[in-house]
Amino acid sequence: KAAMRNYKEAQYACPDNDNFHQGYIHYKIACQFQHVAEVELAVNHFKEAISHFNKSNNKLYKINCFVSIGEISRESNPDTAFKYINEGLRQAQANNDTYHIFASYTNLAGYYFYQNMHEKSLENSLKAIKNSKITLDNNYAFYYACESYLALNKIDSAQHIQSLMPIPRSLVDSMQVYRCLAEIAQYKGDNKSYLTFSEIADSLSNS
């Protein structure tokens, strides 16, 4: 609440023609809404930020906004997500923006995963994983790859990807690790481990 108050005060203080800071304020407000899963409000502010960043010709933050809209819209509005993910990828490639190129591949993997298009999800997640040391700051690509391998009945490959998952740095990362472990156990017929790992994943998901 304090952060949002300060951003609103910054909006009032910022000159109308200062498009970079107007865009940056909308960007930060969008991040606040994204953090509390207010997807529609976050998307609206990211779009406002894009408009200002176009006027100030700031490519980095504009690409970040496209990527962010794609990421948070995958489940609620997949058509919008697909459009923004691909535009973010196109602009990132045009600017040799390595981080956002592979963040976009992770987003595409998520898009295809939620559409049950597991081969395409796997293709994109493996592109991101290949470059994970310099481009990724979460485990989503590993999660999508592991789950997609399982959906394609490739248990050995799923286990290999799970073994490569980085050390969790958030509750979501930890939940994904245990979800993968649970489903691998289920595929192997190890019901005891499946129940144990599922309970841990559920407890993390509800934290």
Side-chain angles (χ1 to χ4, degrees):
K1 290 180 180 179
M4 191 66 77
R5 261 198 315 272
N6 287 325
Y7 290 135
K8 288 295 184 181
E9 288 179 10
Q11 275 187 314
Y12 292 129
C14 187
D16 291 340
N17 61 354
D18 185 349
N19 281 295
F20 170 74
H21 285 104
Q22 286 282 0
Y24 187 74
I25 294 165
H26 277 291
Y27 169 75
K28 296 300 291 184
I29 291 174
C31 291
Q32 291 287 312
F33 283 125
Q34 181 180 0
H35 183 68
V36 295
E38 290 284 356
V39 174
E40 186 175 350
L41 289 170
V43 167
N44 288 341
H45 281 281
F46 279 129
K47 287 180 178 179
E48 287 286 344
I50 288 171
S51 176
H52 287 288
F53 290 139
N54 275 330
K55 294 174 184 175
S56 64
N57 197 32
N58 187 288
K59 296 176 181 178
L60 176 63
Y61 280 110
K62 181 172 68 172
I63 293 170
N64 196 298
C65 290
F66 276 103
V67 172
S68 296
I69 291 172
E71 178 182 353
I72 63 179
S73 302
R74 285 180 308 210
E75 293 185 68
S76 61
N77 197 334
D79 290 341
T80 293
F82 192 69
K83 171 186 170 183
Y84 277 88
I85 291 169
N86 279 288
E87 181 59 21
L89 176 59
R90 185 191 70 78
Q91 293 194 26
Q93 289 172 329
N95 287 280
N96 295 315
D97 183 341
T98 308
Y99 176 86
H100 285 110
I101 288 171
F102 292 100
S104 295
Y105 284 136
T106 300
N107 282 343
L108 278 174
Y111 168 82
Y112 287 121
F113 179 77
Y114 291 116
Q115 297 299 310
N116 293 314
M117 301 171 70
H118 297 292
E119 289 185 356
K120 284 187 171 292
S121 178
L122 185 59
E123 175 188 343
N124 285 282
S125 59
L126 292 178
K127 287 180 183 178
I129 288 171
K130 185 178 179 182
N131 294 271
S132 62
K133 289 185 180 179
I134 59 171
T135 58
L136 295 183
D137 57 4
N138 59 52
N139 292 354
Y140 277 98
F142 294 87
Y143 174 73
Y144 296 137
C146 181
E147 292 287 337
S148 294
Y149 272 131
L150 288 172
L152 296 168
N153 295 313
K154 296 181 178 181
I155 182 68
D156 291 341
S157 296
Q159 285 184 288
H160 175 65
I161 288 294
Q162 193 283 319
S163 72
L164 298 177
M165 293 178 85
I167 295 171
R169 289 180 287 181
S170 68
L171 286 175
V172 171
D173 287 349
S174 297
M175 182 270 291
Q176 290 173 347
V177 168
Y178 284 104
R179 283 269 182 256
C180 288
L181 287 170
E183 295 192 24
I184 288 169
Q186 184 179 38
Y187 270 78
K188 294 170 69 176
D190 184 351
N191 290 328
K192 182 178 179 181
S193 295
Y194 167 70
L195 290 172
T196 299
F197 292 138
S198 292
E199 287 175 1
I200 296 172
D202 289 343
S203 67
L204 291 167
S205 179
N206 295 324
S207 297

